[in-house]
């Protein structure tokens, strides 16, 4: 397979994904409308009751919704690839003179693109309700850098999930079952201080909390950390990068292996 | 075997030696030898589970053989998969089109992946939509397509690169008779232009009409092979079919018919036949018929059969004579177990 076609072929596959989204825009709901809904619900329903010692709740909220939304970003790639593998369209691609890698690259590119659309929409709706970047240009860039890194690892994780489940629906079910509790048992919407002692310990060590804290820190938003937070929260940015890389380095090889296996016979 | 003498390789088409595929304990395919010279048509014939799809998937590099080797267009399928894929067109048994794209976008995408330029891709897609009678639905989402339309789109996708070797797995399953005839014509045209064609089918008639050589598969192994004519010779001459409505006289009819037969006759149990009224509407009756099929003794006249039945007091629903079809070949070589199955496929189209 000539390598010179690898990029061109990957883009053909990525464009195919984009066309899917044009045909069924609902596919983007989980990364667009859902986070907007959470932002508005929490900002207006809980905004009045939840006190943030070092700033406003609306500024605090965005980092949490961002990480939750990116975590739900597992869904898109999982259902997309599960559908492709099941419907046999991958067989068509495998019979063509293109490398299997180009399909996977196209898939990852498109799904990452979809997530980034979500990030943009969410940032814009944050700006509308009073969120902003108060650190520095560098801090802002670093914040989005972290977001993209985490999004990338979630896309791979979703791809892997989509390849090991039996159907697209199963992937959806698993994502809801795992991501909902994981993103609520954290400092996503409520500061740690507001939780009962047991939940507080769980939430403090939850990587979701670390990631949300890191995004808040980089954007110069309030973090509402307790006086003596556990180590990961004290070094939130470092740990968030670490978590993201760890997830990426685990899920990418697993996804590639699963893809090879699913497309062998 | 005559088959081997006839095969003279000019340009390489498809070859296979001892090809086999195992799934767990099951050999889905075993000991398949093929030598299809370029430009010829091979029909792989067999009922469900015979191993046809397995063979096609190995030859198209979608599956790796457990044993044996095969070449397509001169390249080894296992070692040079990428080269093989440049030379072939494939239409798998299950349609492999993208439901969330339009028909045109599907074909353009495939064309782009064959590395045609954007303009060429657009042109080719338009041409193929026209040829497969999909032009009117070209801009419709494929998920709204009927089974037959998907099938035709899938076939169009296999034609995109005008491949040297074309593999079609049950290409006409699910097509109406008119589309089937059109597709046959299209395939003949391709073959005249020099394309090597390997197709699988459960429709015996189809292999008869299209294939130069036929390989009959049964439970993963080759049950018979040869040209359609050779296979027919092996199984004998015309067939006489007597259909009776009253199953209790079956045995009696059998005895009455014995003198006219040449070899064994078979009784096919109660085959349901749909009778539609001349207007083709509303009233349809289903009557179970017992059919007795036998090989006709040379020189037999149908009227003798009718008289004999009359003399035995058997009220036959229908007495007919027909040329041997591949169906009979199939029955003869794969045994009575297969006969029921093929009878079933005949009745429920
Ligand atoms: N992926 C698979 N795993 C296990 N068994 C399989 C697989 N694919 C096919 N088989 C089995 O191999 C046999 C041949 O199947 P197949 O080649 O699909 O037959 P055909 O296409 O002639 O209907 C069948 O018994 C089928 O159940
Ligand atoms: Mg099959």
């Amino acid at each position: 397979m000539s390598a010179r076609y690898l990029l061109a072929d990957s883009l053909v596959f990525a464009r195919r994904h984009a066309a899917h989204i044009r045909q069924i825009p609902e596919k983007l709901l989980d990364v667009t409308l859902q986070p907007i809904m959470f932002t508005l619900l929490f900002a207006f329903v809980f905004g009045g009751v939840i006190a943030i010692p070092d700033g406003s709740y609306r500024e605090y909220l965005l980092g949490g919704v961002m990480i939750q939304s990116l975590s739900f970003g597992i869904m898109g790639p999982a259902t997309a690839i599960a559908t492709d593998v099941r419907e046999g369209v991958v067989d068509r691609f495998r019979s063509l003179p293109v490398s299997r890698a180009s399909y996977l690259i196209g898939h990852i590119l498109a799904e990452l693109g979809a997530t980034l659309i979500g990030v943009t929409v969410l940032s814009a709706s944050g700006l509308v309700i009073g969120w902003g970047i108060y650190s520095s240009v560098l801090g802002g860039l670093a914040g989005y850098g972290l977001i993209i890194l985490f999004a990338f690892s979630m896309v791979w994780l979703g791809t892997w999930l989509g390849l090991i489940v039996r159907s697209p629906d199963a992937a959806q079910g698993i994502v809801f079952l795992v991501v909902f509790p994981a993103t609520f048992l954290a400092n996503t919407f409520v500061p740690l201080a507001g939780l009962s002692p047991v939940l507080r310990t769980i939430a403090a060590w939850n990587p979701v909390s670390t990631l949300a804290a890191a995004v808040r820190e980089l954007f110069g938003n309030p973090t509402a950390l307790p006086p003596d937070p556990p180590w990961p929260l004290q070094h939130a940015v470092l740990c968030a990068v670490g978590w993201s890389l760890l997830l990426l380095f685990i899920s990418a090889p697993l996804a590639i292996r699963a893809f090879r296996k699913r497309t062998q016979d | 075997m005559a088959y081997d003498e006839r095969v003279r390789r000019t340009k390489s088409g498809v070859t296979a030696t001892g090809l086999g595929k195992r799934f767990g304990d099951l050999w889905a395919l075993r000991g398949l030898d093929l030598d299809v010279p370029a430009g010829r048509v091979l029909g792989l014939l067999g009922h469900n589970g015979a191993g046809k799809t397995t063979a096609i998937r190995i030859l198209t590099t979608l599956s790796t053989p457990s044993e044996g080797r095969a070449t397509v267009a001169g390249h080894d399928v296992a070692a040079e998969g990428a080269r093989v894929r440049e030379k072939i067109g494939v239409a798998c048994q299950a349609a492999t089109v993208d439901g969330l794209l339009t028909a045109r976008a599907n074909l353009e995408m495939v064309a782009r992946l064959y590395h045609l330029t954007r303009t060429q891709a657009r042109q080719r897609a338009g041409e193929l939509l026209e040829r497969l009678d999909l032009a009117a639905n070209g801009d419709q989402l494929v998920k709204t397509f009927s089974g037959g339309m998907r099938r035709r789109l899938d076939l169009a996708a296999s034609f995109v690169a005008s491949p040297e070797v074309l593999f079609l797995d049950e290409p006409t399953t699910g097509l109406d008779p008119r589309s089937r005839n059109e597709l046959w014509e299209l395939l003949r045209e391709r073959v005249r232009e020099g394309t090597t064609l390997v197709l699988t089918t459960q429709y015996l008639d189809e292999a008869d009409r299209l294939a130069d050589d036929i390989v009959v598969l049964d439970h993963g192994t080759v049950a018979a092979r040869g040209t359609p004519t050779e296979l027919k010779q092996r199984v004998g001459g015309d067939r006489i079919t007597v259909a009776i409505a009253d199953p209790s006289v079956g045995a009696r009819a059998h005895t009455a018919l014995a003198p006219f037969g040449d070899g064994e006759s078979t009784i096919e149990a109660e085959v349901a036949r749909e009778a539609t009224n001349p207007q083709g509407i509303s009233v349809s009756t289903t009557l179970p018929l017992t059919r007795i099929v036998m090989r006709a003794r040379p020189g037999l006249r149908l009227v003798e059969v009718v008289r004999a039945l009359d003399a035995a007091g058997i009220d036959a629903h229908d007495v007919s004579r027909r040329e041997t079809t591949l169906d009979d070949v199939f029955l003869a070589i794969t045994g009575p177990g297969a006969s029921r199955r093929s009878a079933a496929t005949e009745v429920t189209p």
Side-chain angles (χ1 to χ4, degrees):
Chain A
M1 218 87 42
S2 41
R4 74 199 155 105
Y5 285 124
L6 187 67
L7 182 68
D9 294 341
S10 305
L11 290 178
V12 173
F13 286 118
R15 264 200 298 278
R16 161 176 179 261
H17 263 66
H20 285 179
I21 290 168
R22 239 176 291 131
Q23 296 298 345
I24 25 173
E26 309 90 275
K27 277 181 85 122
L28 276 186
L29 283 191
D30 53 341
V31 291
T32 53
L33 218 59
Q34 186 180 310
I36 294 176
M37 190 182 73
F38 273 111
T39 311
L40 295 179
L41 278 179
F42 278 88
F44 290 102
V45 177
F46 294 113
V49 271
I50 300 171
I52 301 296
D54 48 351
S56 87
Y57 180 69
R58 291 182 183 182
E59 276 178 47
Y60 173 82
L61 182 63
L62 194 102
V65 179
M66 187 69 88
I67 293 304
Q68 188 193 45
S69 161
L70 294 177
S71 307
F72 273 111
I74 296 175
M75 192 102 82
T79 48
I81 204 159
T83 308
D84 276 359
V85 172
R86 194 155 89 148
E87 294 207 332
V89 71
V90 172
D91 273 349
R92 160 66 57 204
F93 301 144
R94 286 180 57 215
S95 75
L96 300 175
V98 297
S99 85
R100 269 187 283 176
S102 59
Y103 167 81
L104 207 53
I105 296 171
H107 163 83
I108 298 283
L109 281 180
E111 291 296 341
L112 189 63
T115 319
L116 295 184
I117 291 175
V119 169
T120 313
V121 170
L122 187 55
S123 303
S125 56
L127 288 172
V128 170
I129 61 153
W131 165 84
I133 298 172
Y134 300 104
S135 52
S136 59
V137 173
L138 218 60
L141 287 178
Y144 280 110
L146 174 62
I147 284 171
I148 292 170
L149 176 65
F150 181 60
F152 192 50
S153 72
M154 288 295 108
V155 168
W156 276 105
L157 188 63
T159 301
W160 177 59
L161 178 69
L163 286 165
I164 58 168
V165 292
R166 222 169 292 162
S167 72
D169 291 343
Q172 208 153 358
I174 291 171
V175 173
F176 268 111
L177 274 174
V178 176
V179 175
F180 252 113
T183 54
F184 269 93
L185 284 175
N187 63 5
T188 325
F189 303 109
V190 180
L192 293 179
L195 299 171
S196 70
V198 178
L199 286 184
R200 192 183 310 159
T201 315
I202 296 173
W205 289 91
N206 184 346
V208 173
S209 296
T210 313
L211 281 149
V215 169
R216 289 168 181 143
E217 192 181 316
L218 289 169
F219 286 156
N221 299 140
T223 51
L225 289 182
D228 189 19
W231 194 84
L233 284 179
Q234 279 176 38
H235 306 86
V237 174
L238 184 71
C239 290
V241 172
W243 274 121
S244 305
L245 288 177
L246 186 70
L247 273 170
L248 183 62
F249 289 144
I250 293 173
S251 54
L254 283 176
I256 292 169
R257 215 182 60 172
F259 182 67
R260 286 225 180 94
K261 219 174 118 204
R262 279 299 286 268
T263 59
Q264 213 159 44
D265 266 337
Chain B
M1 210 192 254
Y3 178 78
D4 290 316
E5 294 157 21
R6 229 188 23 256
V7 170
R8 274 182 301 275
R9 282 169 73 181
T10 45
K11 225 168 102 191
S12 32
V14 178
T15 70
T17 331
L19 208 58
K21 177 76 184 180
R22 200 168 124 173
F23 294 109
D25 287 339
L26 174 85
W27 282 95
L29 186 70
R30 194 136 204 218
L32 179 65
D33 295 328
L34 296 176
D35 200 339
V36 190
R40 280 181 78 93
V41 182
L42 172 73
L44 288 173
L45 187 62
H47 49 68
N48 263 328
K52 304 180 298 292
T53 297
T54 304
I56 293 287
R57 289 182 68 85
I58 294 173
L59 294 172
T60 55
T61 79
L62 290 174
S63 178
T64 45
S66 309
E67 58 177 37
R69 50 189 305 265
T71 67
V72 171
H75 299 289
D76 189 285
V77 292
E80 305 169 281
R83 305 303 300 274
V84 171
R85 286 190 285 272
E86 284 170 12
K87 302 284 171 75
I88 62 172
V90 188
C92 295
Q93 184 171 3
T96 54
V97 286
D98 189 338
L100 296 179
L101 296 180
T102 64
R104 191 182 306 278
N106 261 287
L107 293 178
E108 283 180 9
M109 173 179 70
V110 170
R112 292 290 282 158
L113 292 170
Y114 274 113
H115 307 124
L116 268 60
T117 66
R118 208 174 288 245
T119 328
Q120 287 170 332
R122 196 166 306 142
Q123 193 188 336
R124 190 80 182 120
E127 246 168 62
L128 286 168
L129 287 172
E130 199 70 55
R131 270 175 80 183
L132 281 138
D133 206 11
L134 288 168
N137 312 93
D139 298 306
Q140 211 171 308
L141 277 194
V142 171
K143 69 173 174 184
T144 66
F145 274 25
S146 69
M149 286 157 75
R150 268 170 193 262
R151 193 78 240 173
R152 277 180 282 150
L153 181 61
D154 211 30
L155 289 161
S158 73
F159 294 159
V160 163
S162 306
E164 231 172 83
V165 188
L166 193 55
F167 292 92
L168 307 178
D169 196 359
E170 301 199 19
T172 58
T173 302
L175 292 191
D176 55 55
R178 192 179 68 102
S179 319
R180 184 176 303 177
N181 277 316
E182 282 171 9
L183 178 65
W184 284 344
E185 204 30 63
L186 210 64
L187 293 179
R188 287 199 190 97
E189 201 179 293
R190 293 237 60 115
V191 171
R192 276 196 295 273
E193 287 162 13
T195 307
T196 311
L197 173 63
V198 177
L199 78 137
T200 75
T201 182
Q202 297 195 44
Y203 300 112
L204 310 144
D205 176 35
E206 181 163 80
D208 192 6
R209 279 169 200 242
L210 286 177
D212 299 313
D213 299 296
I214 294 173
V215 168
V216 183
L217 288 175
D218 183 38
H219 294 101
T221 58
V222 175
R225 67 197 316 163
T227 61
T229 320
E230 278 167 0
L231 284 178
K232 280 194 237 175
Q233 273 166 4
R234 274 181 55 185
V235 187
D238 285 4
R239 290 299 194 276
I240 302 281
T241 306
V242 176
I244 22 181
D246 177 7
S248 64
V249 301
R252 210 142 46 83
H254 207 247
T255 319
L257 291 169
F260 306 111
D262 177 24
E264 261 180 70
S265 59
T266 55
I267 298 189
E268 284 180 23
E270 310 184 12
V271 180
R273 265 285 149 83
E274 287 249 320
T276 320
N277 70 1
Q279 288 81 35
I281 44 162
S282 62
V283 196
S284 80
T285 49
T286 304
L287 47 151
L289 291 178
T290 300
R291 290 199 302 164
I292 300 171
V293 181
M294 62 176 190
R295 216 186 270 189
R297 174 168 53 73
L300 177 76
R301 291 180 308 141
L302 201 57
V303 64
E304 296 174 54
V305 177
V306 177
R307 281 194 203 118
L309 286 169
D310 229 12
I314 293 156
D315 182 23
H317 183 83
D318 188 28
V319 179
S320 61
R321 176 193 199 124
R322 59 174 167 75
E323 271 183 59
T324 324
T325 65
L326 281 165
D327 212 346
D328 303 314
V329 175
F330 200 64
L331 290 182
I333 55 186
T334 60
S339 81
R340 205 120 308 147
R341 231 168 308 185
S342 76
T345 52
E346 190 179 281
V347 177
T348 38

